[in-house]
Amino acid sequence: MNSQEKAPKARHLWIGQTLEYIIGFVLASAAAQSPTPAIPAVFAGLVIANAATVKAPLSAFRLTNGRIHQIFGIGLSMAALIAAVVMDLDVTTRAMLIGLAGAEGFVSVRFGHGIRATST
């Protein structure tokens, strides 16, 4: 049994980072044009910070590992969904947060550790 068979190696975390940067900057752009920009702007900053702090090629700070990055991404997704349901927001902001929750949740679950080698 070689080292690749023991544990799936995380590769290409930069793909997840790129998607998170896109999600964050699109949300920030939409927040800038929103009548209530505070909540989407905070979530945009958190998504961008999450992408910028993981130890990966597109990171600015390299503070956290892939597992913490994934947990924080899932937490952001859940927090955005809760904020969309609980807070008194306009329809556009609510839709932005629901879209963020879906996109960030998908990226965090699917690309949380990069592309994994699957065994057949």
PDB file of all heavy atoms in Angstrom, residues 13-23 47 50-51 66 69-70 73-74 77 99-116:
ATOM      1  N   LEU A  13      -6.402  23.161  -4.134  1.00  0.00           N
ATOM      2  CA  LEU A  13      -7.247  23.986  -3.280  1.00  0.00           C
ATOM      3  C   LEU A  13      -7.460  25.368  -3.896  1.00  0.00           C
ATOM      4  O   LEU A  13      -8.415  26.049  -3.572  1.00  0.00           O
ATOM      5  CB  LEU A  13      -6.629  24.100  -1.883  1.00  0.00           C
ATOM      6  CG  LEU A  13      -7.462  24.773  -0.801  1.00  0.00           C
ATOM      7  CD1 LEU A  13      -8.815  24.079  -0.661  1.00  0.00           C
ATOM      8  CD2 LEU A  13      -6.741  24.768   0.512  1.00  0.00           C
ATOM      9  N   TRP A  14      -6.607  25.736  -4.837  1.00  0.00           N
ATOM     10  CA  TRP A  14      -6.732  27.033  -5.480  1.00  0.00           C
ATOM     11  C   TRP A  14      -8.040  27.155  -6.260  1.00  0.00           C
ATOM     12  O   TRP A  14      -8.544  28.268  -6.449  1.00  0.00           O
ATOM     13  CB  TRP A  14      -5.530  27.309  -6.383  1.00  0.00           C
ATOM     14  CG  TRP A  14      -5.400  26.363  -7.533  1.00  0.00           C
ATOM     15  CD1 TRP A  14      -4.719  25.182  -7.557  1.00  0.00           C
ATOM     16  CD2 TRP A  14      -5.990  26.508  -8.824  1.00  0.00           C
ATOM     17  NE1 TRP A  14      -4.848  24.583  -8.775  1.00  0.00           N
ATOM     18  CE2 TRP A  14      -5.618  25.370  -9.581  1.00  0.00           C
ATOM     19  CE3 TRP A  14      -6.782  27.468  -9.411  1.00  0.00           C
ATOM     20  CZ2 TRP A  14      -6.024  25.197 -10.895  1.00  0.00           C
ATOM     21  CZ3 TRP A  14      -7.188  27.290 -10.726  1.00  0.00           C
ATOM     22  CH2 TRP A  14      -6.801  26.165 -11.450  1.00  0.00           C
ATOM     23  N   ILE A  15      -8.613  26.039  -6.708  1.00  0.00           N
ATOM     24  CA  ILE A  15      -9.888  26.102  -7.425  1.00  0.00           C
ATOM     25  C   ILE A  15     -10.985  26.583  -6.478  1.00  0.00           C
ATOM     26  O   ILE A  15     -11.764  27.475  -6.822  1.00  0.00           O
ATOM     27  CB  ILE A  15     -10.243  24.730  -8.038  1.00  0.00           C
ATOM     28  CG1 ILE A  15      -9.227  24.350  -9.118  1.00  0.00           C
ATOM     29  CG2 ILE A  15     -11.650  24.741  -8.609  1.00  0.00           C
ATOM     30  CD1 ILE A  15      -9.358  22.932  -9.620  1.00  0.00           C
ATOM     31  N   GLY A  16     -11.032  26.006  -5.286  1.00  0.00           N
ATOM     32  CA  GLY A  16     -12.000  26.453  -4.291  1.00  0.00           C
ATOM     33  C   GLY A  16     -11.765  27.894  -3.879  1.00  0.00           C
ATOM     34  O   GLY A  16     -12.715  28.661  -3.690  1.00  0.00           O
ATOM     35  N   GLN A  17     -10.496  28.267  -3.757  1.00  0.00           N
ATOM     36  CA  GLN A  17     -10.177  29.653  -3.422  1.00  0.00           C
ATOM     37  C   GLN A  17     -10.663  30.606  -4.502  1.00  0.00           C
ATOM     38  O   GLN A  17     -11.245  31.644  -4.196  1.00  0.00           O
ATOM     39  CB  GLN A  17      -8.665  29.831  -3.285  1.00  0.00           C
ATOM     40  CG  GLN A  17      -8.110  29.486  -1.955  1.00  0.00           C
ATOM     41  CD  GLN A  17      -6.647  29.857  -1.914  1.00  0.00           C
ATOM     42  OE1 GLN A  17      -5.841  29.260  -2.624  1.00  0.00           O
ATOM     43  NE2 GLN A  17      -6.302  30.818  -1.093  1.00  0.00           N
ATOM     44  N   THR A  18     -10.414  30.267  -5.746  1.00  0.00           N
ATOM     45  CA  THR A  18     -10.856  31.121  -6.846  1.00  0.00           C
ATOM     46  C   THR A  18     -12.364  31.297  -6.820  1.00  0.00           C
ATOM     47  O   THR A  18     -12.870  32.411  -6.966  1.00  0.00           O
ATOM     48  CB  THR A  18     -10.421  30.513  -8.200  1.00  0.00           C
ATOM     49  OG1 THR A  18      -8.998  30.363  -8.207  1.00  0.00           O
ATOM     50  CG2 THR A  18     -10.858  31.383  -9.356  1.00  0.00           C
ATOM     51  N   LEU A  19     -13.082  30.202  -6.613  1.00  0.00           N
ATOM     52  CA  LEU A  19     -14.541  30.292  -6.546  1.00  0.00           C
ATOM     53  C   LEU A  19     -14.986  31.145  -5.364  1.00  0.00           C
ATOM     54  O   LEU A  19     -15.938  31.931  -5.485  1.00  0.00           O
ATOM     55  CB  LEU A  19     -15.147  28.890  -6.461  1.00  0.00           C
ATOM     56  CG  LEU A  19     -14.981  28.019  -7.702  1.00  0.00           C
ATOM     57  CD1 LEU A  19     -15.472  26.603  -7.428  1.00  0.00           C
ATOM     58  CD2 LEU A  19     -15.713  28.622  -8.886  1.00  0.00           C
ATOM     59  N   GLU A  20     -14.312  31.024  -4.236  1.00  0.00           N
ATOM     60  CA  GLU A  20     -14.682  31.843  -3.074  1.00  0.00           C
ATOM     61  C   GLU A  20     -14.380  33.318  -3.314  1.00  0.00           C
ATOM     62  O   GLU A  20     -15.152  34.175  -2.902  1.00  0.00           O
ATOM     63  CB  GLU A  20     -13.976  31.353  -1.822  1.00  0.00           C
ATOM     64  CG  GLU A  20     -14.607  30.112  -1.266  1.00  0.00           C
ATOM     65  CD  GLU A  20     -14.003  29.687   0.056  1.00  0.00           C
ATOM     66  OE1 GLU A  20     -12.779  29.835   0.235  1.00  0.00           O
ATOM     67  OE2 GLU A  20     -14.780  29.213   0.891  1.00  0.00           O
ATOM     68  N   TYR A  21     -13.258  33.623  -3.952  1.00  0.00           N
ATOM     69  CA  TYR A  21     -12.980  35.019  -4.292  1.00  0.00           C
ATOM     70  C   TYR A  21     -14.063  35.562  -5.216  1.00  0.00           C
ATOM     71  O   TYR A  21     -14.538  36.686  -5.039  1.00  0.00           O
ATOM     72  CB  TYR A  21     -11.602  35.170  -4.954  1.00  0.00           C
ATOM     73  CG  TYR A  21     -10.440  35.145  -3.998  1.00  0.00           C
ATOM     74  CD1 TYR A  21      -9.371  34.294  -4.216  1.00  0.00           C
ATOM     75  CD2 TYR A  21     -10.389  35.986  -2.895  1.00  0.00           C
ATOM     76  CE1 TYR A  21      -8.286  34.275  -3.353  1.00  0.00           C
ATOM     77  CE2 TYR A  21      -9.314  35.972  -2.025  1.00  0.00           C
ATOM     78  CZ  TYR A  21      -8.258  35.120  -2.265  1.00  0.00           C
ATOM     79  OH  TYR A  21      -7.192  35.111  -1.414  1.00  0.00           O
ATOM     80  N   ILE A  22     -14.473  34.790  -6.204  1.00  0.00           N
ATOM     81  CA  ILE A  22     -15.522  35.225  -7.129  1.00  0.00           C
ATOM     82  C   ILE A  22     -16.821  35.457  -6.367  1.00  0.00           C
ATOM     83  O   ILE A  22     -17.473  36.492  -6.538  1.00  0.00           O
ATOM     84  CB  ILE A  22     -15.711  34.206  -8.269  1.00  0.00           C
ATOM     85  CG1 ILE A  22     -14.490  34.219  -9.191  1.00  0.00           C
ATOM     86  CG2 ILE A  22     -16.984  34.492  -9.057  1.00  0.00           C
ATOM     87  CD1 ILE A  22     -14.442  33.076 -10.188  1.00  0.00           C
ATOM     88  N   ILE A  23     -17.206  34.507  -5.510  1.00  0.00           N
ATOM     89  CA  ILE A  23     -18.429  34.649  -4.722  1.00  0.00           C
ATOM     90  C   ILE A  23     -18.347  35.912  -3.859  1.00  0.00           C
ATOM     91  O   ILE A  23     -19.296  36.708  -3.814  1.00  0.00           O
ATOM     92  CB  ILE A  23     -18.657  33.405  -3.828  1.00  0.00           C
ATOM     93  CG1 ILE A  23     -18.994  32.191  -4.683  1.00  0.00           C
ATOM     94  CG2 ILE A  23     -19.756  33.663  -2.803  1.00  0.00           C
ATOM     95  CD1 ILE A  23     -18.923  30.870  -3.930  1.00  0.00           C
ATOM     96  N   VAL A  47     -16.252  35.938   3.438  1.00  0.00           N
ATOM     97  CA  VAL A  47     -15.938  34.935   2.411  1.00  0.00           C
ATOM     98  C   VAL A  47     -14.549  35.195   1.832  1.00  0.00           C
ATOM     99  O   VAL A  47     -13.744  34.274   1.666  1.00  0.00           O
ATOM    100  CB  VAL A  47     -17.015  34.926   1.297  1.00  0.00           C
ATOM    101  CG1 VAL A  47     -16.573  34.087   0.111  1.00  0.00           C
ATOM    102  CG2 VAL A  47     -18.334  34.425   1.839  1.00  0.00           C
ATOM    103  N   ASN A  50     -11.944  34.270   4.367  1.00  0.00           N
ATOM    104  CA  ASN A  50     -11.801  32.823   4.448  1.00  0.00           C
ATOM    105  C   ASN A  50     -10.901  32.314   3.321  1.00  0.00           C
ATOM    106  O   ASN A  50     -10.034  31.466   3.541  1.00  0.00           O
ATOM    107  CB  ASN A  50     -13.167  32.143   4.394  1.00  0.00           C
ATOM    108  CG  ASN A  50     -13.096  30.668   4.691  1.00  0.00           C
ATOM    109  OD1 ASN A  50     -12.244  30.193   5.415  1.00  0.00           O
ATOM    110  ND2 ASN A  50     -14.014  29.924   4.112  1.00  0.00           N
ATOM    111  N   ALA A  51     -11.085  32.830   2.128  1.00  0.00           N
ATOM    112  CA  ALA A  51     -10.255  32.405   0.998  1.00  0.00           C
ATOM    113  C   ALA A  51      -8.816  32.900   1.133  1.00  0.00           C
ATOM    114  O   ALA A  51      -7.878  32.220   0.704  1.00  0.00           O
ATOM    115  CB  ALA A  51     -10.855  32.917  -0.307  1.00  0.00           C
ATOM    116  N   GLY A  66      -6.704  23.457   5.583  1.00  0.00           N
ATOM    117  CA  GLY A  66      -7.872  23.168   4.752  1.00  0.00           C
ATOM    118  C   GLY A  66      -9.093  22.772   5.546  1.00  0.00           C
ATOM    119  O   GLY A  66     -10.219  23.110   5.180  1.00  0.00           O
ATOM    120  N   HIS A  69     -10.623  25.863   7.138  1.00  0.00           N
ATOM    121  CA  HIS A  69     -11.189  26.611   6.024  1.00  0.00           C
ATOM    122  C   HIS A  69     -12.554  26.037   5.634  1.00  0.00           C
ATOM    123  O   HIS A  69     -13.509  26.779   5.437  1.00  0.00           O
ATOM    124  CB  HIS A  69     -10.213  26.555   4.844  1.00  0.00           C
ATOM    125  CG  HIS A  69     -10.740  27.098   3.574  1.00  0.00           C
ATOM    126  ND1 HIS A  69     -10.844  28.444   3.339  1.00  0.00           N
ATOM    127  CD2 HIS A  69     -11.197  26.483   2.460  1.00  0.00           C
ATOM    128  CE1 HIS A  69     -11.344  28.631   2.120  1.00  0.00           C
ATOM    129  NE2 HIS A  69     -11.558  27.455   1.573  1.00  0.00           N
ATOM    130  N   GLN A  70     -12.646  24.730   5.542  1.00  0.00           N
ATOM    131  CA  GLN A  70     -13.888  24.079   5.174  1.00  0.00           C
ATOM    132  C   GLN A  70     -14.962  24.290   6.249  1.00  0.00           C
ATOM    133  O   GLN A  70     -16.110  24.612   5.931  1.00  0.00           O
ATOM    134  CB  GLN A  70     -13.670  22.590   4.946  1.00  0.00           C
ATOM    135  CG  GLN A  70     -14.922  21.869   4.505  1.00  0.00           C
ATOM    136  CD  GLN A  70     -14.706  20.384   4.319  1.00  0.00           C
ATOM    137  OE1 GLN A  70     -13.897  19.791   5.017  1.00  0.00           O
ATOM    138  NE2 GLN A  70     -15.412  19.797   3.383  1.00  0.00           N
ATOM    139  N   GLY A  73     -16.186  27.819   6.098  1.00  0.00           N
ATOM    140  CA  GLY A  73     -17.038  28.017   4.916  1.00  0.00           C
ATOM    141  C   GLY A  73     -18.439  27.475   5.125  1.00  0.00           C
ATOM    142  O   GLY A  73     -19.431  28.118   4.766  1.00  0.00           O
ATOM    143  N   ILE A  74     -18.543  26.295   5.720  1.00  0.00           N
ATOM    144  CA  ILE A  74     -19.856  25.717   6.013  1.00  0.00           C
ATOM    145  C   ILE A  74     -20.579  26.576   7.050  1.00  0.00           C
ATOM    146  O   ILE A  74     -21.785  26.819   6.942  1.00  0.00           O
ATOM    147  CB  ILE A  74     -19.719  24.253   6.471  1.00  0.00           C
ATOM    148  CG1 ILE A  74     -19.222  23.400   5.304  1.00  0.00           C
ATOM    149  CG2 ILE A  74     -21.035  23.715   7.009  1.00  0.00           C
ATOM    150  CD1 ILE A  74     -18.793  22.001   5.689  1.00  0.00           C
ATOM    151  N   SER A  77     -21.955  29.593   5.365  1.00  0.00           N
ATOM    152  CA  SER A  77     -23.140  29.220   4.605  1.00  0.00           C
ATOM    153  C   SER A  77     -24.359  29.138   5.515  1.00  0.00           C
ATOM    154  O   SER A  77     -25.434  29.676   5.192  1.00  0.00           O
ATOM    155  CB  SER A  77     -22.902  27.886   3.901  1.00  0.00           C
ATOM    156  OG  SER A  77     -24.053  27.463   3.239  1.00  0.00           O
ATOM    157  N   GLY A  99     -28.484  32.913  -2.000  1.00  0.00           N
ATOM    158  CA  GLY A  99     -27.542  32.520  -3.051  1.00  0.00           C
ATOM    159  C   GLY A  99     -26.144  32.284  -2.497  1.00  0.00           C
ATOM    160  O   GLY A  99     -25.466  31.329  -2.881  1.00  0.00           O
ATOM    161  N   LEU A 100     -25.719  33.147  -1.580  1.00  0.00           N
ATOM    162  CA  LEU A 100     -24.424  32.969  -0.932  1.00  0.00           C
ATOM    163  C   LEU A 100     -24.389  31.664  -0.158  1.00  0.00           C
ATOM    164  O   LEU A 100     -23.410  30.913  -0.236  1.00  0.00           O
ATOM    165  CB  LEU A 100     -24.122  34.128   0.016  1.00  0.00           C
ATOM    166  CG  LEU A 100     -22.953  33.908   0.987  1.00  0.00           C
ATOM    167  CD1 LEU A 100     -21.640  33.825   0.233  1.00  0.00           C
ATOM    168  CD2 LEU A 100     -22.911  34.969   2.043  1.00  0.00           C
ATOM    169  N   ALA A 101     -25.452  31.380   0.575  1.00  0.00           N
ATOM    170  CA  ALA A 101     -25.496  30.151   1.371  1.00  0.00           C
ATOM    171  C   ALA A 101     -25.361  28.923   0.478  1.00  0.00           C
ATOM    172  O   ALA A 101     -24.601  28.002   0.788  1.00  0.00           O
ATOM    173  CB  ALA A 101     -26.796  30.087   2.177  1.00  0.00           C
ATOM    174  N   GLY A 102     -26.060  28.902  -0.626  1.00  0.00           N
ATOM    175  CA  GLY A 102     -25.977  27.769  -1.536  1.00  0.00           C
ATOM    176  C   GLY A 102     -24.614  27.634  -2.187  1.00  0.00           C
ATOM    177  O   GLY A 102     -24.024  26.551  -2.219  1.00  0.00           O
ATOM    178  N   ALA A 103     -24.099  28.747  -2.693  1.00  0.00           N
ATOM    179  CA  ALA A 103     -22.813  28.706  -3.394  1.00  0.00           C
ATOM    180  C   ALA A 103     -21.663  28.389  -2.441  1.00  0.00           C
ATOM    181  O   ALA A 103     -20.820  27.536  -2.729  1.00  0.00           O
ATOM    182  CB  ALA A 103     -22.566  30.043  -4.096  1.00  0.00           C
ATOM    183  N   GLU A 104     -21.624  29.052  -1.306  1.00  0.00           N
ATOM    184  CA  GLU A 104     -20.537  28.823  -0.352  1.00  0.00           C
ATOM    185  C   GLU A 104     -20.616  27.421   0.247  1.00  0.00           C
ATOM    186  O   GLU A 104     -19.606  26.767   0.457  1.00  0.00           O
ATOM    187  CB  GLU A 104     -20.571  29.873   0.762  1.00  0.00           C
ATOM    188  CG  GLU A 104     -19.479  29.726   1.788  1.00  0.00           C
ATOM    189  CD  GLU A 104     -18.084  29.968   1.238  1.00  0.00           C
ATOM    190  OE1 GLU A 104     -17.933  30.615   0.197  1.00  0.00           O
ATOM    191  OE2 GLU A 104     -17.131  29.494   1.872  1.00  0.00           O
ATOM    192  N   GLY A 105     -21.827  26.966   0.500  1.00  0.00           N
ATOM    193  CA  GLY A 105     -21.995  25.603   1.009  1.00  0.00           C
ATOM    194  C   GLY A 105     -21.493  24.570   0.021  1.00  0.00           C
ATOM    195  O   GLY A 105     -20.783  23.632   0.383  1.00  0.00           O
ATOM    196  N   PHE A 106     -21.845  24.749  -1.253  1.00  0.00           N
ATOM    197  CA  PHE A 106     -21.390  23.821  -2.284  1.00  0.00           C
ATOM    198  C   PHE A 106     -19.868  23.840  -2.416  1.00  0.00           C
ATOM    199  O   PHE A 106     -19.226  22.787  -2.442  1.00  0.00           O
ATOM    200  CB  PHE A 106     -22.036  24.153  -3.630  1.00  0.00           C
ATOM    201  CG  PHE A 106     -21.532  23.299  -4.751  1.00  0.00           C
ATOM    202  CD1 PHE A 106     -21.987  22.005  -4.906  1.00  0.00           C
ATOM    203  CD2 PHE A 106     -20.583  23.782  -5.640  1.00  0.00           C
ATOM    204  CE1 PHE A 106     -21.512  21.198  -5.936  1.00  0.00           C
ATOM    205  CE2 PHE A 106     -20.105  22.982  -6.672  1.00  0.00           C
ATOM    206  CZ  PHE A 106     -20.569  21.696  -6.819  1.00  0.00           C
ATOM    207  N   VAL A 107     -19.292  25.031  -2.491  1.00  0.00           N
ATOM    208  CA  VAL A 107     -17.846  25.144  -2.651  1.00  0.00           C
ATOM    209  C   VAL A 107     -17.122  24.564  -1.434  1.00  0.00           C
ATOM    210  O   VAL A 107     -16.121  23.862  -1.575  1.00  0.00           O
ATOM    211  CB  VAL A 107     -17.434  26.618  -2.892  1.00  0.00           C
ATOM    212  CG1 VAL A 107     -15.933  26.803  -2.792  1.00  0.00           C
ATOM    213  CG2 VAL A 107     -17.926  27.078  -4.252  1.00  0.00           C
ATOM    214  N   SER A 108     -17.639  24.830  -0.245  1.00  0.00           N
ATOM    215  CA  SER A 108     -16.976  24.336   0.967  1.00  0.00           C
ATOM    216  C   SER A 108     -17.037  22.825   1.078  1.00  0.00           C
ATOM    217  O   SER A 108     -16.074  22.194   1.504  1.00  0.00           O
ATOM    218  CB  SER A 108     -17.610  24.966   2.205  1.00  0.00           C
ATOM    219  OG  SER A 108     -17.351  26.338   2.220  1.00  0.00           O
ATOM    220  N   VAL A 109     -18.160  22.246   0.714  1.00  0.00           N
ATOM    221  CA  VAL A 109     -18.284  20.788   0.809  1.00  0.00           C
ATOM    222  C   VAL A 109     -17.514  20.120  -0.322  1.00  0.00           C
ATOM    223  O   VAL A 109     -16.782  19.166  -0.119  1.00  0.00           O
ATOM    224  CB  VAL A 109     -19.768  20.363   0.797  1.00  0.00           C
ATOM    225  CG1 VAL A 109     -19.911  18.864   0.646  1.00  0.00           C
ATOM    226  CG2 VAL A 109     -20.441  20.835   2.078  1.00  0.00           C
ATOM    227  N   ARG A 110     -17.661  20.625  -1.525  1.00  0.00           N
ATOM    228  CA  ARG A 110     -17.055  19.975  -2.677  1.00  0.00           C
ATOM    229  C   ARG A 110     -15.559  20.252  -2.806  1.00  0.00           C
ATOM    230  O   ARG A 110     -14.784  19.382  -3.145  1.00  0.00           O
ATOM    231  CB  ARG A 110     -17.768  20.416  -3.958  1.00  0.00           C
ATOM    232  CG  ARG A 110     -17.204  19.835  -5.233  1.00  0.00           C
ATOM    233  CD  ARG A 110     -17.333  18.306  -5.238  1.00  0.00           C
ATOM    234  NE  ARG A 110     -16.696  17.741  -6.392  1.00  0.00           N
ATOM    235  CZ  ARG A 110     -15.477  17.205  -6.377  1.00  0.00           C
ATOM    236  NH1 ARG A 110     -14.775  17.173  -5.272  1.00  0.00           N
ATOM    237  NH2 ARG A 110     -14.954  16.698  -7.462  1.00  0.00           N
ATOM    238  N   PHE A 111     -15.149  21.493  -2.547  1.00  0.00           N
ATOM    239  CA  PHE A 111     -13.750  21.869  -2.743  1.00  0.00           C
ATOM    240  C   PHE A 111     -13.070  22.284  -1.441  1.00  0.00           C
ATOM    241  O   PHE A 111     -12.068  22.977  -1.450  1.00  0.00           O
ATOM    242  CB  PHE A 111     -13.641  23.045  -3.726  1.00  0.00           C
ATOM    243  CG  PHE A 111     -14.176  22.732  -5.094  1.00  0.00           C
ATOM    244  CD1 PHE A 111     -15.358  23.290  -5.531  1.00  0.00           C
ATOM    245  CD2 PHE A 111     -13.501  21.878  -5.931  1.00  0.00           C
ATOM    246  CE1 PHE A 111     -15.861  23.022  -6.781  1.00  0.00           C
ATOM    247  CE2 PHE A 111     -13.991  21.590  -7.193  1.00  0.00           C
ATOM    248  CZ  PHE A 111     -15.179  22.166  -7.618  1.00  0.00           C
ATOM    249  N   GLY A 112     -13.583  21.863  -0.309  1.00  0.00           N
ATOM    250  CA  GLY A 112     -13.034  22.265   0.987  1.00  0.00           C
ATOM    251  C   GLY A 112     -11.600  21.865   1.192  1.00  0.00           C
ATOM    252  O   GLY A 112     -10.832  22.565   1.838  1.00  0.00           O
ATOM    253  N   HIS A 113     -11.187  20.751   0.649  1.00  0.00           N
ATOM    254  CA  HIS A 113      -9.802  20.285   0.749  1.00  0.00           C
ATOM    255  C   HIS A 113      -9.167  20.208  -0.625  1.00  0.00           C
ATOM    256  O   HIS A 113      -8.198  19.497  -0.821  1.00  0.00           O
ATOM    257  CB  HIS A 113      -9.729  18.909   1.395  1.00  0.00           C
ATOM    258  CG  HIS A 113     -10.130  18.910   2.828  1.00  0.00           C
ATOM    259  ND1 HIS A 113      -9.388  19.509   3.807  1.00  0.00           N
ATOM    260  CD2 HIS A 113     -11.227  18.401   3.452  1.00  0.00           C
ATOM    261  CE1 HIS A 113      -9.981  19.348   4.966  1.00  0.00           C
ATOM    262  NE2 HIS A 113     -11.098  18.680   4.778  1.00  0.00           N
ATOM    263  N   GLY A 114      -9.711  20.903  -1.592  1.00  0.00           N
ATOM    264  CA  GLY A 114      -9.211  20.799  -2.946  1.00  0.00           C
ATOM    265  C   GLY A 114      -9.872  19.614  -3.647  1.00  0.00           C
ATOM    266  O   GLY A 114     -10.873  19.083  -3.194  1.00  0.00           O
ATOM    267  N   ILE A 115      -9.324  19.195  -4.753  1.00  0.00           N
ATOM    268  CA  ILE A 115      -9.861  18.053  -5.492  1.00  0.00           C
ATOM    269  C   ILE A 115      -9.211  16.807  -4.930  1.00  0.00           C
ATOM    270  O   ILE A 115      -7.993  16.677  -4.921  1.00  0.00           O
ATOM    271  CB  ILE A 115      -9.572  18.191  -6.988  1.00  0.00           C
ATOM    272  CG1 ILE A 115     -10.283  19.435  -7.526  1.00  0.00           C
ATOM    273  CG2 ILE A 115     -10.030  16.960  -7.729  1.00  0.00           C
ATOM    274  CD1 ILE A 115      -9.966  19.743  -8.953  1.00  0.00           C
ATOM    275  N   ARG A 116     -10.014  15.912  -4.442  1.00  0.00           N
ATOM    276  CA  ARG A 116      -9.482  14.692  -3.838  1.00  0.00           C
ATOM    277  C   ARG A 116      -9.382  13.584  -4.885  1.00  0.00           C
ATOM    278  O   ARG A 116     -10.222  13.452  -5.751  1.00  0.00           O
ATOM    279  CB  ARG A 116     -10.399  14.231  -2.707  1.00  0.00           C
ATOM    280  CG  ARG A 116     -10.399  15.180  -1.551  1.00  0.00           C
ATOM    281  CD  ARG A 116     -11.131  14.602  -0.377  1.00  0.00           C
ATOM    282  NE  ARG A 116     -12.514  14.902  -0.200  1.00  0.00           N
ATOM    283  CZ  ARG A 116     -13.094  16.058  -0.101  1.00  0.00           C
ATOM    284  NH1 ARG A 116     -12.409  17.118  -0.259  1.00  0.00           N
ATOM    285  NH2 ARG A 116     -14.351  16.222   0.139  1.00  0.00           N
TER     286      ARG A 116
END
